[in-house]
Amino acid sequence: MKATVSDCSSRYFEPGVGPAGRDLWQHETQPAQANACRHLPSVQKVLERLGAIPLPRPLVVKVVRTQLALARKSGSIPDQEQLVCQTRSALRDLERSRLQPVLNGTGIIIHTNLGRAPLGAAVLETFSRVGMGYSNLEYDLVTGERGARAEYVERALALLCRAEAATVVNNCAAALVLVLRHFTRRKREVLISRGELVQIGGGFRIPEILEASGARLREVGTTNKTSLQDYAKGIGPETGMLLKIHRSNFSMDGFVESCPTEALATLARRKRLPLVQDLGSGALLASETIPGLEHEPMPGEVLSHGADLVTFSGDKLLGGPQAGVLAGKAKLLSALKREPFFRALRCDKLILSALQATLELYLEGKAEYSLPVLGMLRVSVQELRSRAEKLKSELCELPLQMEIGEGRAQVGGGGLPKSSLASITLDCLPEKLKASELATRLRLGTPPVLGYVRGGRFKLDLRTIFPTQDKLLLEALKNALV
Ligand SMILES: *Cc1c(COP(=O)(O)O)cnc(C)c1O
């Protein structure tokens, strides 16, 4: 609630003399004035009344014009005060849609809506050094000629995945589309268990991805049981590949059966078909060494069980930038990289530099301490509790009852659905507000703070809030409660 657009800073422009220049201003305002309804104020008038707005002027002008057009269309002409008020509210919404840091008190570590894996400082250092200037992105410094993009990253990935070769594209969905297009070009069918036709995130459904890539889906088995025989019976003259999808975001218990990679790989080899396994998260470190976590399939392990290729995300458990990794047989990877479509999916220098730095941390054995995702998974409950106590003591003067609660944090990002980590929450019961009202105020604050309401209390899980953000958190709580 504190984050109103009238809080001025140096970035706020002065009406009429802003940095975007008078030309644009005049160009934007003339037509509107020409058509303006007699009783509506001009664009310029509204802009003057708005005062300082922390957004680029062309965006502000556009919002003002839209609001004026809406008023004109509605027939009932609002008074000037009301119009300015509505416009200000539309501008505030626009400002909140701008990409910005938020404090994540949800306890979901790889939160897809909140940008998944936060990047470590070492990663950002490489990222900004490479991004700020020119780089040898596609230049071979040894020969002085054009070089291959991502060669170093590919080598590092292959080593970490214990694979013959590896490469990287924009995300795991892209990796899957590339694989499907390639292997189902001549023989259109892809064999997949009915138990694995899953939806991963918002709008990411395996059957839709298959269709989008031109492949024909051939379902085998049932929702709860798919045996090797089901796959064997399903293979026909039109089968181009076998696909196994890791049920990353849900689990099935009870009367269930799925076919292990080893058996499926033997069948695939006998039928001379590629077996691709989509892992989703793809842990490079054994997740079960972290208290509370189950085992998440590792790329090297799945390849050693006989899969020809694996695909996984760069920004889930790996803890790096958004990317889709493909690892496995060298012959298959070089064929995939020759696909014209590969060009449309390749990563840019920023992603590659961030991924390079991330992978080097793994190779140097520093990942656990340097990558935020792994750090948040490992931090102890005692450590969280002592932070909570300190925060609580600093908030004792606010109109708020605060208790230190015990919560469960989740890995998130569609991974390890059965796992959860013991965590510590700040449970807030405001004296004059409902918990949901406090949640709204914090969400609309600067920086936005997100938590969850449970049992009538607003809760902030400290596992996903960085210790360096504790000061900001205190400020945000104070601002929301005054
Ligand atoms: C998350 C996930 C994907 C999609 O990965 P993106 O990198 O978001 O494209 C694909 N498959 C599985 C099994 C996943 O869990």
Side-chain angles (χ1 to χ4, degrees):
M1 280 297 153
K2 297 281 114 181
T4 60
V5 281
S6 50
D7 297 340
C8 292
S9 81
S10 57
R11 278 185 18 263
Y12 292 34
F13 76 85
E14 302 286 312
V17 292
R22 275 179 188 280
D23 286 347
L24 185 55
W25 165 266
Q26 276 158 6
H27 169 79
E28 284 286 337
T29 50
Q30 295 312 332
Q33 278 176 342
N35 304 334
C37 165
R38 186 168 286 282
H39 306 289
L40 280 172
S42 66
V43 172
Q44 176 128 22
K45 188 92 207 149
V46 178
L47 283 165
E48 273 164 18
R49 292 288 310 279
L50 281 170
I53 303 290
L55 287 169
R57 180 200 305 241
L59 284 173
V60 177
V61 171
K62 178 75 187 160
V63 169
V64 171
R65 293 179 65 183
T66 306
Q67 290 297 318
L68 284 168
L70 281 174
R72 202 173 295 130
K73 223 156 94 193
S74 78
S76 69
I77 294 171
D79 69 37
Q80 193 163 307
E81 206 49 53
Q82 200 183 346
L83 189 79
V84 168
C85 192
Q86 282 164 1
T87 307
R88 190 165 276 142
S89 152
L91 286 165
R92 238 176 254 150
D93 290 352
L94 178 63
E95 197 196 337
R96 290 194 175 107
S97 70
R98 171 203 260 159
L99 196 56
Q100 57 191 295
V102 306
L103 267 60
N104 174 12
T106 64
I108 299 167
I109 295 172
I110 303 164
H111 198 306
T112 300
N113 303 147
L114 306 183
R116 288 202 187 155
L119 300 175
V123 171
L124 283 171
E125 203 262 330
T126 312
F127 178 97
S128 59
R129 258 186 320 117
V130 170
M132 265 195 290
Y134 296 105
S135 62
N136 60 339
L137 179 67
E138 280 186 14
Y139 184 80
D140 186 332
L141 293 172
V142 177
T143 61
E145 284 164 18
R146 189 200 155 101
R149 183 184 282 245
E151 208 169 8
Y152 182 89
V153 158
E154 288 176 350
R155 278 201 198 195
L157 276 171
L159 197 57
L160 287 162
C161 297
R162 292 186 279 135
E164 289 175 16
T167 194
V168 58
V169 291
N170 275 321
N171 52 35
C172 188
L176 263 180
V177 172
L178 178 69
V179 162
L180 288 162
R181 281 174 65 104
H182 179 76
F183 292 116
T184 62
R185 172 145 327 114
R186 266 169 296 155
K187 297 192 279 172
R188 295 282 300 280
E189 274 175 19
V190 50
L191 233 64
I192 177 168
S193 158
R194 288 197 172 86
E196 295 170 6
L197 291 172
V198 298
Q199 168 155 350
I200 309 290
F204 181 102
R205 291 181 159 176
I206 294 293
E208 285 166 12
I209 288 279
L210 298 188
E211 257 158 51
S213 56
R216 230 176 16 237
L217 175 63
R218 169 90 199 227
E219 303 168 32
V220 300
T222 61
T223 303
N224 55 334
K225 281 200 169 216
T226 305
S227 66
L228 184 62
Q229 278 70 35
D230 291 324
Y231 283 100
K233 273 191 288 183
I235 294 175
E238 276 302 295
T239 308
M241 67 178 282
L242 307 185
L243 179 62
K244 198 168 162 55
I245 313 264
H246 177 49
R247 285 183 200 135
S248 50
N249 55 3
F250 72 108
S251 64
M252 284 202 291
D253 292 313
F255 193 57
V256 291
E257 176 186 340
S258 63
C259 184
T261 304
E262 290 94 328
L264 206 50
T266 309
L267 174 68
R269 264 197 304 280
R270 223 179 54 230
K271 299 285 184 179
R272 300 178 166 277
L273 290 168
L275 169 64
V276 180
Q277 198 156 332
D278 175 28
L279 302 180
S281 226
L284 293 184
L285 295 175
S287 56
E288 68 276 15
T289 62
I290 295 167
L293 297 198
E294 323 136 74
H295 177 69
E296 177 77 9
M298 299 170 76
E301 156 195 46
V302 174
L303 289 171
S304 77
H305 290 166
D308 296 299
L309 277 180
V310 292
T311 55
F312 59 96
S313 288
D315 53 348
K316 291 188 181 171
L317 268 183
L318 185 89
Q322 180 190 298
V325 177
L326 298 122
K329 297 261 161 67
K331 217 176 103 201
L332 300 183
L333 275 153
S334 60
L336 286 168
K337 286 173 67 180
R338 281 195 305 274
E339 282 279 337
F341 192 57
F342 179 74
R343 175 71 168 70
L345 306 176
R346 68 182 191 179
C347 298
D348 85 319
K349 59 178 182 284
L350 296 179
I351 296 294
L352 290 172
S353 60
L355 189 57
Q356 172 179 301
T358 305
L359 298 174
E360 284 185 337
L361 291 172
Y362 276 98
L363 291 166
E364 290 162 354
K366 298 181 191 157
E368 282 170 75
Y369 311 101
S370 315
L371 293 178
V373 164
L374 301 180
M376 282 189 273
L377 286 169
R378 286 195 174 272
V379 68
S380 72
V381 174
Q382 293 90 300
E383 206 171 312
L384 296 176
R385 187 179 290 281
S386 68
R387 267 176 66 205
E389 274 156 12
K390 189 145 175 287
L391 284 164
K392 187 182 168 185
S393 71
E394 302 207 29
L395 287 169
C396 58
E397 271 155 38
L398 290 182
L400 172 81
Q401 279 179 41
M402 180 171 293
E403 277 166 24
I404 296 172
E406 288 174 5
R408 301 298 298 183
Q410 285 162 33
V411 176
L416 297 160
K418 282 203 280 192
S419 300
S420 67
L421 301 118
S423 198
I424 292 294
T425 53
L426 292 180
D427 298 356
C428 310
L429 189 62
E431 281 163 14
K432 295 181 206 125
L433 303 173
K434 280 211 248 171
S436 59
E437 172 63 15
L438 176 61
T440 306
R441 287 193 183 188
L442 285 167
R443 192 180 75 239
L444 298 179
T446 317
V449 176
L450 307 175
Y452 59 97
V453 175
R454 188 156 305 157
R457 288 176 182 264
F458 176 72
K459 295 182 179 240
L460 290 161
D461 192 315
L462 289 187
R463 192 176 281 280
T464 44
I465 295 175
F466 295 100
T468 50
Q469 295 175 325
D470 283 353
K471 259 212 177 79
L472 281 172
L473 179 62
L474 284 173
E475 277 311 300
L477 277 165
K478 283 177 194 162
N479 288 339
L481 288 162
V482 290

